[in-house]
Amino acid sequence: MSVYDDAILITYPSGVKVGKVDSQKPTDGTGDYTFSRSTTATRVNASGVIVSAAIDEPRIDYTGGGCGVLLIEAQATNLVNYSEDFSQATLSNCTVQSGVNAPNGNTDAYKLIEDSTSGLKLFRAVNSTSTIANTSYSASIYVKAGERTKVRVWGYQASNQFFSVDYDLSNNNYLGSFGQNTQVDGYSIQDIGTDGWKKITIKGQKNATYDWDVAVSPLDASGNDTYLGDGTSGLYIFGAQLALIDTSYIPTNGTTVTRAADLGQATTPTGVTSITETVSGVDTVITTIPTTYSLPIGRVETILME
């Protein structure tokens, strides 16, 4: 018999509506999940554009292209006051120019332009609240190549207090990650599928003294962050975020914003002896069967109950 025939309940990213995630078996609605989230949220649609999801609307996310996944996330807060209004940022040896086509389908992105001096070109989207000592944070921002194709994304406080990742946007090459008086906990680069935009995330841990900001520096052709600029070259930036976890984009405009957790639940059908969760390509088999089953945190591809 086929997997479909053997299964009692099958769920994969397909039919969703506000308050509900459909099951593909059974088809009479008895296996559907109730879904809730008390705030709006964002996802990447099939065209590679960041769009908003309403309160209690499940999210099918297409980050990176291919088939969509059901995005289930824990609560998260973006600590950056202005995630898109980069006229509010702190700038060193560079300027920003607004009105650039952004990955959300609007003209909300900026061009980060180096000046003509010799020095570190540094953009800082300042966070609005104190971060917790000895705790890992994720600093992320969307970046697109311009005349400068190499970039450094930082969790930055000072020249001797930072964690960072360098990336070649044209050749899609990781160039290295660094920590100065702090611990680097990892990084990720996501191609969101829109016009060359990539979400770059660097994770690190602060000490008891400093607060982190999300920062960006264009690098010269040799990968140097300190160089003589030409006054016109640069790259493109959008959507700064600082959070305790790597999470979907949370827009802000003047204050921190918290996106609530996703919760999808269904009554486990009678006779189920195993549940296979496929999340981000990894299968996890559950044999201790709950009366009420909750969708797992992550990029959910398939839930199979047998």
Side-chain angles (χ1 to χ4, degrees):
M1 297 181 67
S2 68
V3 171
Y4 184 89
D5 291 333
D6 289 341
I8 297 173
L9 190 149
I10 300 175
T11 305
Y12 57 84
S14 177
V16 297
K17 54 183 66 70
V18 172
K20 190 172 78 167
V21 176
D22 295 342
S23 65
Q24 282 63 52
K25 182 184 179 182
T27 59
D28 61 2
T30 58
D32 294 349
Y33 293 76
T34 58
F35 181 87
S36 63
R37 185 187 57 252
S38 61
T39 65
T40 60
T42 66
R43 67 182 182 95
V44 175
N45 69 15
S47 299
V49 178
I50 299 171
V51 296
S52 181
I55 291 173
D56 293 337
E57 180 184 356
R59 292 176 288 167
I60 298 181
D61 185 78
Y62 292 85
T63 298
C67 298
V69 299
L70 183 62
L71 187 58
I72 303 294
E73 295 186 298
Q75 178 176 295
T77 300
N78 187 355
L79 300 177
V80 175
N81 263 347
Y82 293 93
S83 69
E84 296 177 17
D85 182 2
F86 291 162
S87 68
Q88 305 291 331
T90 298
L91 303 171
S92 299
N93 300 320
C94 59
T95 59
V96 290
Q97 183 179 62
S98 63
V100 175
N101 290 333
N104 65 358
N106 301 318
T107 54
D108 296 331
Y110 282 71
K111 185 176 184 181
L112 176 61
I113 304 170
E114 64 193 39
D115 69 8
S116 57
T117 66
S118 181
L120 173 68
K121 323 302 180 183
L122 185 67
F123 159 95
R124 294 172 63 181
V126 180
N127 97 71
S128 62
T129 187
S130 295
T131 48
I132 303 168
N134 303 312
T135 300
S136 184
Y137 284 84
S138 289
S140 65
I141 194 164
Y142 297 85
V143 182
K144 176 184 170 183
E147 295 86 5
R148 296 299 178 188
T149 62
K150 296 177 181 178
V151 64
R152 177 170 295 170
V153 173
W154 315 65
Y156 185 91
Q157 203 287 328
S159 59
N160 65 343
Q161 297 283 339
F162 66 84
F163 52 94
S164 64
V165 60
D166 290 0
Y167 195 74
D168 186 333
L169 295 160
S170 291
N171 296 317
N172 294 322
N173 287 335
Y174 163 70
L175 301 176
S177 55
F178 314 91
Q180 183 70 37
N181 292 322
T182 189
Q183 174 181 319
V184 175
D185 294 330
Y187 71 93
S188 66
I189 291 94
Q190 294 176 304
D191 185 347
I192 68 165
T194 303
D195 195 26
W197 286 98
K198 298 185 186 298
K199 180 184 178 184
I200 299 181
T201 302
I202 179 71
K203 302 176 185 179
Q205 188 172 133
K206 67 167 285 182
N207 63 19
T209 305
Y210 295 102
D211 284 333
W212 302 119
D213 298 329
V214 181
V216 176
S217 291
L219 308 178
D220 69 9
S222 299
N224 300 309
D225 62 358
T226 299
Y227 61 91
L228 178 63
D230 60 20
T232 58
S233 294
L235 44 77
Y236 303 97
I237 52 176
F238 170 82
Q241 186 157 293
L242 183 71
L244 285 169
I245 58 175
D246 185 8
T247 188
S248 59
Y249 176 52
I250 303 171
T252 68
N253 187 24
T255 187
T256 64
V257 173
T258 297
R259 189 212 58 249
D262 299 298
L263 179 63
Q265 292 186 318
T267 299
T268 307
T270 301
V272 170
T273 59
S274 71
I275 302 172
T276 302
E277 302 172 337
T278 303
V279 182
S280 298
V282 177
D283 292 338
T284 301
V285 178
I286 298 170
T287 55
T288 301
I289 308 303
T291 302
T292 300
Y293 173 75
S294 297
L295 291 168
I297 298 294
R299 300 177 64 79
V300 179
E301 298 169 17
T302 306
I303 305 296
L304 180 66
M305 297 188 183
E306 298 179 282

mmCIF file with all atom_site columns, all heavy atoms in Angstrom, residues 121-140:
data_model
loop_
_atom_site.group_PDB
_atom_site.id
_atom_site.type_symbol
_atom_site.label_atom_id
_atom_site.label_alt_id
_atom_site.label_comp_id
_atom_site.label_asym_id
_atom_site.label_entity_id
_atom_site.label_seq_id
_atom_site.pdbx_PDB_ins_code
_atom_site.Cartn_x
_atom_site.Cartn_y
_atom_site.Cartn_z
_atom_site.occupancy
_atom_site.B_iso_or_equiv
_atom_site.pdbx_formal_charge
_atom_site.auth_seq_id
_atom_site.auth_comp_id
_atom_site.auth_asym_id
_atom_site.auth_atom_id
_atom_site.pdbx_PDB_model_num
ATOM 1   N N   . LYS A 1 121 ? 33.601 52.426 6.408  1.00 0.00 ? 121 LYS A N   1
ATOM 2   C CA  . LYS A 1 121 ? 32.268 52.881 6.012  1.00 0.00 ? 121 LYS A CA  1
ATOM 3   C C   . LYS A 1 121 ? 31.256 52.079 6.841  1.00 0.00 ? 121 LYS A C   1
ATOM 4   O O   . LYS A 1 121 ? 31.152 50.863 6.682  1.00 0.00 ? 121 LYS A O   1
ATOM 5   C CB  . LYS A 1 121 ? 32.022 52.652 4.522  1.00 0.00 ? 121 LYS A CB  1
ATOM 6   C CG  . LYS A 1 121 ? 33.230 52.878 3.611  1.00 0.00 ? 121 LYS A CG  1
ATOM 7   C CD  . LYS A 1 121 ? 33.825 54.271 3.714  1.00 0.00 ? 121 LYS A CD  1
ATOM 8   C CE  . LYS A 1 121 ? 35.022 54.418 2.775  1.00 0.00 ? 121 LYS A CE  1
ATOM 9   N NZ  . LYS A 1 121 ? 35.687 55.716 2.891  1.00 0.00 ? 121 LYS A NZ  1
ATOM 10  N N   . LEU A 1 122 ? 30.517 52.758 7.736  1.00 0.00 ? 122 LEU A N   1
ATOM 11  C CA  . LEU A 1 122 ? 29.718 52.029 8.715  1.00 0.00 ? 122 LEU A CA  1
ATOM 12  C C   . LEU A 1 122 ? 28.320 52.616 8.844  1.00 0.00 ? 122 LEU A C   1
ATOM 13  O O   . LEU A 1 122 ? 28.145 53.790 9.189  1.00 0.00 ? 122 LEU A O   1
ATOM 14  C CB  . LEU A 1 122 ? 30.415 52.047 10.084 1.00 0.00 ? 122 LEU A CB  1
ATOM 15  C CG  . LEU A 1 122 ? 29.758 51.223 11.190 1.00 0.00 ? 122 LEU A CG  1
ATOM 16  C CD1 . LEU A 1 122 ? 29.841 49.734 10.876 1.00 0.00 ? 122 LEU A CD1 1
ATOM 17  C CD2 . LEU A 1 122 ? 30.430 51.512 12.535 1.00 0.00 ? 122 LEU A CD2 1
ATOM 18  N N   . PHE A 1 123 ? 27.316 51.770 8.578  1.00 0.00 ? 123 PHE A N   1
ATOM 19  C CA  . PHE A 1 123 ? 25.907 52.075 8.804  1.00 0.00 ? 123 PHE A CA  1
ATOM 20  C C   . PHE A 1 123 ? 25.455 51.326 10.049 1.00 0.00 ? 123 PHE A C   1
ATOM 21  O O   . PHE A 1 123 ? 25.701 50.127 10.182 1.00 0.00 ? 123 PHE A O   1
ATOM 22  C CB  . PHE A 1 123 ? 25.081 51.622 7.589  1.00 0.00 ? 123 PHE A CB  1
ATOM 23  C CG  . PHE A 1 123 ? 23.614 51.421 7.877  1.00 0.00 ? 123 PHE A CG  1
ATOM 24  C CD1 . PHE A 1 123 ? 22.708 52.428 7.625  1.00 0.00 ? 123 PHE A CD1 1
ATOM 25  C CD2 . PHE A 1 123 ? 23.137 50.209 8.377  1.00 0.00 ? 123 PHE A CD2 1
ATOM 26  C CE1 . PHE A 1 123 ? 21.353 52.250 7.884  1.00 0.00 ? 123 PHE A CE1 1
ATOM 27  C CE2 . PHE A 1 123 ? 21.788 50.018 8.630  1.00 0.00 ? 123 PHE A CE2 1
ATOM 28  C CZ  . PHE A 1 123 ? 20.895 51.042 8.392  1.00 0.00 ? 123 PHE A CZ  1
ATOM 29  N N   . ARG A 1 124 ? 24.779 52.012 10.980 1.00 0.00 ? 124 ARG A N   1
ATOM 30  C CA  . ARG A 1 124 ? 24.307 51.378 12.209 1.00 0.00 ? 124 ARG A CA  1
ATOM 31  C C   . ARG A 1 124 ? 22.829 51.683 12.428 1.00 0.00 ? 124 ARG A C   1
ATOM 32  O O   . ARG A 1 124 ? 22.453 52.843 12.613 1.00 0.00 ? 124 ARG A O   1
ATOM 33  C CB  . ARG A 1 124 ? 25.108 51.856 13.420 1.00 0.00 ? 124 ARG A CB  1
ATOM 34  C CG  . ARG A 1 124 ? 26.567 51.439 13.412 1.00 0.00 ? 124 ARG A CG  1
ATOM 35  C CD  . ARG A 1 124 ? 27.361 52.093 14.526 1.00 0.00 ? 124 ARG A CD  1
ATOM 36  N NE  . ARG A 1 124 ? 26.878 51.697 15.852 1.00 0.00 ? 124 ARG A NE  1
ATOM 37  C CZ  . ARG A 1 124 ? 27.411 52.167 16.985 1.00 0.00 ? 124 ARG A CZ  1
ATOM 38  N NH1 . ARG A 1 124 ? 28.415 53.051 16.945 1.00 0.00 ? 124 ARG A NH1 1
ATOM 39  N NH2 . ARG A 1 124 ? 26.942 51.769 18.147 1.00 0.00 ? 124 ARG A NH2 1
ATOM 40  N N   . ALA A 1 125 ? 21.982 50.646 12.390 1.00 0.00 ? 125 ALA A N   1
ATOM 41  C CA  . ALA A 1 125 ? 20.576 50.773 12.753 1.00 0.00 ? 125 ALA A CA  1
ATOM 42  C C   . ALA A 1 125 ? 20.492 50.533 14.250 1.00 0.00 ? 125 ALA A C   1
ATOM 43  O O   . ALA A 1 125 ? 20.546 49.398 14.726 1.00 0.00 ? 125 ALA A O   1
ATOM 44  C CB  . ALA A 1 125 ? 19.731 49.762 11.983 1.00 0.00 ? 125 ALA A CB  1
ATOM 45  N N   . VAL A 1 126 ? 20.380 51.600 15.018 1.00 0.00 ? 126 VAL A N   1
ATOM 46  C CA  . VAL A 1 126 ? 20.542 51.536 16.473 1.00 0.00 ? 126 VAL A CA  1
ATOM 47  C C   . VAL A 1 126 ? 19.335 50.858 17.108 1.00 0.00 ? 126 VAL A C   1
ATOM 48  O O   . VAL A 1 126 ? 18.185 51.161 16.797 1.00 0.00 ? 126 VAL A O   1
ATOM 49  C CB  . VAL A 1 126 ? 20.720 52.951 17.051 1.00 0.00 ? 126 VAL A CB  1
ATOM 50  C CG1 . VAL A 1 126 ? 20.882 52.909 18.566 1.00 0.00 ? 126 VAL A CG1 1
ATOM 51  C CG2 . VAL A 1 126 ? 21.928 53.629 16.407 1.00 0.00 ? 126 VAL A CG2 1
ATOM 52  N N   . ASN A 1 127 ? 19.596 49.923 18.035 1.00 0.00 ? 127 ASN A N   1
ATOM 53  C CA  . ASN A 1 127 ? 18.488 49.285 18.746 1.00 0.00 ? 127 ASN A CA  1
ATOM 54  C C   . ASN A 1 127 ? 18.032 50.193 19.889 1.00 0.00 ? 127 ASN A C   1
ATOM 55  O O   . ASN A 1 127 ? 18.749 51.085 20.327 1.00 0.00 ? 127 ASN A O   1
ATOM 56  C CB  . ASN A 1 127 ? 18.889 47.878 19.219 1.00 0.00 ? 127 ASN A CB  1
ATOM 57  C CG  . ASN A 1 127 ? 19.343 47.815 20.659 1.00 0.00 ? 127 ASN A CG  1
ATOM 58  O OD1 . ASN A 1 127 ? 18.544 47.953 21.575 1.00 0.00 ? 127 ASN A OD1 1
ATOM 59  N ND2 . ASN A 1 127 ? 20.632 47.600 20.858 1.00 0.00 ? 127 ASN A ND2 1
ATOM 60  N N   . SER A 1 128 ? 16.808 49.956 20.355 1.00 0.00 ? 128 SER A N   1
ATOM 61  C CA  . SER A 1 128 ? 16.186 50.920 21.258 1.00 0.00 ? 128 SER A CA  1
ATOM 62  C C   . SER A 1 128 ? 16.065 50.425 22.689 1.00 0.00 ? 128 SER A C   1
ATOM 63  O O   . SER A 1 128 ? 15.420 51.071 23.501 1.00 0.00 ? 128 SER A O   1
ATOM 64  C CB  . SER A 1 128 ? 14.781 51.256 20.743 1.00 0.00 ? 128 SER A CB  1
ATOM 65  O OG  . SER A 1 128 ? 13.981 50.098 20.724 1.00 0.00 ? 128 SER A OG  1
ATOM 66  N N   . THR A 1 129 ? 16.674 49.311 23.020 1.00 0.00 ? 129 THR A N   1
ATOM 67  C CA  . THR A 1 129 ? 16.561 48.786 24.372 1.00 0.00 ? 129 THR A CA  1
ATOM 68  C C   . THR A 1 129 ? 17.842 48.058 24.736 1.00 0.00 ? 129 THR A C   1
ATOM 69  O O   . THR A 1 129 ? 18.579 47.606 23.858 1.00 0.00 ? 129 THR A O   1
ATOM 70  C CB  . THR A 1 129 ? 15.352 47.826 24.492 1.00 0.00 ? 129 THR A CB  1
ATOM 71  O OG1 . THR A 1 129 ? 15.171 47.460 25.854 1.00 0.00 ? 129 THR A OG1 1
ATOM 72  C CG2 . THR A 1 129 ? 15.537 46.582 23.658 1.00 0.00 ? 129 THR A CG2 1
ATOM 73  N N   . SER A 1 130 ? 18.129 47.960 25.999 1.00 0.00 ? 130 SER A N   1
ATOM 74  C CA  . SER A 1 130 ? 19.344 47.294 26.447 1.00 0.00 ? 130 SER A CA  1
ATOM 75  C C   . SER A 1 130 ? 19.265 45.796 26.175 1.00 0.00 ? 130 SER A C   1
ATOM 76  O O   . SER A 1 130 ? 18.234 45.162 26.427 1.00 0.00 ? 130 SER A O   1
ATOM 77  C CB  . SER A 1 130 ? 19.576 47.542 27.939 1.00 0.00 ? 130 SER A CB  1
ATOM 78  O OG  . SER A 1 130 ? 19.810 48.908 28.194 1.00 0.00 ? 130 SER A OG  1
ATOM 79  N N   . THR A 1 131 ? 20.336 45.233 25.663 1.00 0.00 ? 131 THR A N   1
ATOM 80  C CA  . THR A 1 131 ? 20.404 43.793 25.463 1.00 0.00 ? 131 THR A CA  1
ATOM 81  C C   . THR A 1 131 ? 20.941 43.127 26.726 1.00 0.00 ? 131 THR A C   1
ATOM 82  O O   . THR A 1 131 ? 21.541 43.765 27.586 1.00 0.00 ? 131 THR A O   1
ATOM 83  C CB  . THR A 1 131 ? 21.295 43.455 24.259 1.00 0.00 ? 131 THR A CB  1
ATOM 84  O OG1 . THR A 1 131 ? 22.526 44.189 24.352 1.00 0.00 ? 131 THR A OG1 1
ATOM 85  C CG2 . THR A 1 131 ? 20.599 43.823 22.959 1.00 0.00 ? 131 THR A CG2 1
ATOM 86  N N   . ILE A 1 132 ? 20.698 41.817 26.832 1.00 0.00 ? 132 ILE A N   1
ATOM 87  C CA  . ILE A 1 132 ? 20.994 41.075 28.059 1.00 0.00 ? 132 ILE A CA  1
ATOM 88  C C   . ILE A 1 132 ? 22.406 40.514 27.993 1.00 0.00 ? 132 ILE A C   1
ATOM 89  O O   . ILE A 1 132 ? 22.824 39.941 26.987 1.00 0.00 ? 132 ILE A O   1
ATOM 90  C CB  . ILE A 1 132 ? 19.984 39.934 28.239 1.00 0.00 ? 132 ILE A CB  1
ATOM 91  C CG1 . ILE A 1 132 ? 18.550 40.504 28.255 1.00 0.00 ? 132 ILE A CG1 1
ATOM 92  C CG2 . ILE A 1 132 ? 20.243 39.163 29.528 1.00 0.00 ? 132 ILE A CG2 1
ATOM 93  C CD1 . ILE A 1 132 ? 17.486 39.445 28.132 1.00 0.00 ? 132 ILE A CD1 1
ATOM 94  N N   . ALA A 1 133 ? 23.163 40.682 29.064 1.00 0.00 ? 133 ALA A N   1
ATOM 95  C CA  . ALA A 1 133 ? 24.547 40.213 29.096 1.00 0.00 ? 133 ALA A CA  1
ATOM 96  C C   . ALA A 1 133 ? 24.620 38.705 28.933 1.00 0.00 ? 133 ALA A C   1
ATOM 97  O O   . ALA A 1 133 ? 23.737 37.959 29.377 1.00 0.00 ? 133 ALA A O   1
ATOM 98  C CB  . ALA A 1 133 ? 25.198 40.625 30.412 1.00 0.00 ? 133 ALA A CB  1
ATOM 99  N N   . ASN A 1 134 ? 25.694 38.248 28.259 1.00 0.00 ? 134 ASN A N   1
ATOM 100 C CA  . ASN A 1 134 ? 25.999 36.827 28.094 1.00 0.00 ? 134 ASN A CA  1
ATOM 101 C C   . ASN A 1 134 ? 24.846 36.061 27.443 1.00 0.00 ? 134 ASN A C   1
ATOM 102 O O   . ASN A 1 134 ? 24.545 34.923 27.795 1.00 0.00 ? 134 ASN A O   1
ATOM 103 C CB  . ASN A 1 134 ? 26.360 36.200 29.446 1.00 0.00 ? 134 ASN A CB  1
ATOM 104 C CG  . ASN A 1 134 ? 27.519 36.918 30.104 1.00 0.00 ? 134 ASN A CG  1
ATOM 105 O OD1 . ASN A 1 134 ? 28.536 37.186 29.472 1.00 0.00 ? 134 ASN A OD1 1
ATOM 106 N ND2 . ASN A 1 134 ? 27.357 37.268 31.373 1.00 0.00 ? 134 ASN A ND2 1
ATOM 107 N N   . THR A 1 135 ? 24.200 36.725 26.486 1.00 0.00 ? 135 THR A N   1
ATOM 108 C CA  . THR A 1 135 ? 23.054 36.160 25.781 1.00 0.00 ? 135 THR A CA  1
ATOM 109 C C   . THR A 1 135 ? 23.266 36.300 24.287 1.00 0.00 ? 135 THR A C   1
ATOM 110 O O   . THR A 1 135 ? 23.716 37.335 23.804 1.00 0.00 ? 135 THR A O   1
ATOM 111 C CB  . THR A 1 135 ? 21.756 36.885 26.198 1.00 0.00 ? 135 THR A CB  1
ATOM 112 O OG1 . THR A 1 135 ? 21.569 36.737 27.603 1.00 0.00 ? 135 THR A OG1 1
ATOM 113 C CG2 . THR A 1 135 ? 20.554 36.309 25.475 1.00 0.00 ? 135 THR A CG2 1
ATOM 114 N N   . SER A 1 136 ? 22.929 35.259 23.532 1.00 0.00 ? 136 SER A N   1
ATOM 115 C CA  . SER A 1 136 ? 23.103 35.281 22.086 1.00 0.00 ? 136 SER A CA  1
ATOM 116 C C   . SER A 1 136 ? 22.004 36.093 21.412 1.00 0.00 ? 136 SER A C   1
ATOM 117 O O   . SER A 1 136 ? 20.826 35.980 21.769 1.00 0.00 ? 136 SER A O   1
ATOM 118 C CB  . SER A 1 136 ? 23.098 33.852 21.539 1.00 0.00 ? 136 SER A CB  1
ATOM 119 O OG  . SER A 1 136 ? 23.363 33.846 20.146 1.00 0.00 ? 136 SER A OG  1
ATOM 120 N N   . TYR A 1 137 ? 22.406 36.923 20.428 1.00 0.00 ? 137 TYR A N   1
ATOM 121 C CA  . TYR A 1 137 ? 21.474 37.717 19.627 1.00 0.00 ? 137 TYR A CA  1
ATOM 122 C C   . TYR A 1 137 ? 21.727 37.473 18.144 1.00 0.00 ? 137 TYR A C   1
ATOM 123 O O   . TYR A 1 137 ? 22.841 37.133 17.742 1.00 0.00 ? 137 TYR A O   1
ATOM 124 C CB  . TYR A 1 137 ? 21.641 39.207 19.930 1.00 0.00 ? 137 TYR A CB  1
ATOM 125 C CG  . TYR A 1 137 ? 21.020 39.619 21.246 1.00 0.00 ? 137 TYR A CG  1
ATOM 126 C CD1 . TYR A 1 137 ? 21.715 39.463 22.439 1.00 0.00 ? 137 TYR A CD1 1
ATOM 127 C CD2 . TYR A 1 137 ? 19.735 40.142 21.297 1.00 0.00 ? 137 TYR A CD2 1
ATOM 128 C CE1 . TYR A 1 137 ? 21.139 39.819 23.654 1.00 0.00 ? 137 TYR A CE1 1
ATOM 129 C CE2 . TYR A 1 137 ? 19.157 40.503 22.507 1.00 0.00 ? 137 TYR A CE2 1
ATOM 130 C CZ  . TYR A 1 137 ? 19.861 40.341 23.675 1.00 0.00 ? 137 TYR A CZ  1
ATOM 131 O OH  . TYR A 1 137 ? 19.288 40.687 24.874 1.00 0.00 ? 137 TYR A OH  1
ATOM 132 N N   . SER A 1 138 ? 20.676 37.678 17.351 1.00 0.00 ? 138 SER A N   1
ATOM 133 C CA  . SER A 1 138 ? 20.787 37.576 15.895 1.00 0.00 ? 138 SER A CA  1
ATOM 134 C C   . SER A 1 138 ? 20.614 38.965 15.291 1.00 0.00 ? 138 SER A C   1
ATOM 135 O O   . SER A 1 138 ? 19.578 39.607 15.489 1.00 0.00 ? 138 SER A O   1
ATOM 136 C CB  . SER A 1 138 ? 19.712 36.635 15.333 1.00 0.00 ? 138 SER A CB  1
ATOM 137 O OG  . SER A 1 138 ? 19.983 35.303 15.664 1.00 0.00 ? 138 SER A OG  1
ATOM 138 N N   . ALA A 1 139 ? 21.637 39.420 14.575 1.00 0.00 ? 139 ALA A N   1
ATOM 139 C CA  . ALA A 1 139 ? 21.559 40.671 13.829 1.00 0.00 ? 139 ALA A CA  1
ATOM 140 C C   . ALA A 1 139 ? 21.386 40.325 12.358 1.00 0.00 ? 139 ALA A C   1
ATOM 141 O O   . ALA A 1 139 ? 22.158 39.536 11.809 1.00 0.00 ? 139 ALA A O   1
ATOM 142 C CB  . ALA A 1 139 ? 22.833 41.491 14.038 1.00 0.00 ? 139 ALA A CB  1
ATOM 143 N N   . SER A 1 140 ? 20.356 40.893 11.720 1.00 0.00 ? 140 SER A N   1
ATOM 144 C CA  . SER A 1 140 ? 20.103 40.545 10.322 1.00 0.00 ? 140 SER A CA  1
ATOM 145 C C   . SER A 1 140 ? 19.667 41.767 9.532  1.00 0.00 ? 140 SER A C   1
ATOM 146 O O   . SER A 1 140 ? 19.129 42.736 10.086 1.00 0.00 ? 140 SER A O   1
ATOM 147 C CB  . SER A 1 140 ? 19.029 39.450 10.211 1.00 0.00 ? 140 SER A CB  1
ATOM 148 O OG  . SER A 1 140 ? 17.776 39.912 10.683 1.00 0.00 ? 140 SER A OG  1
#
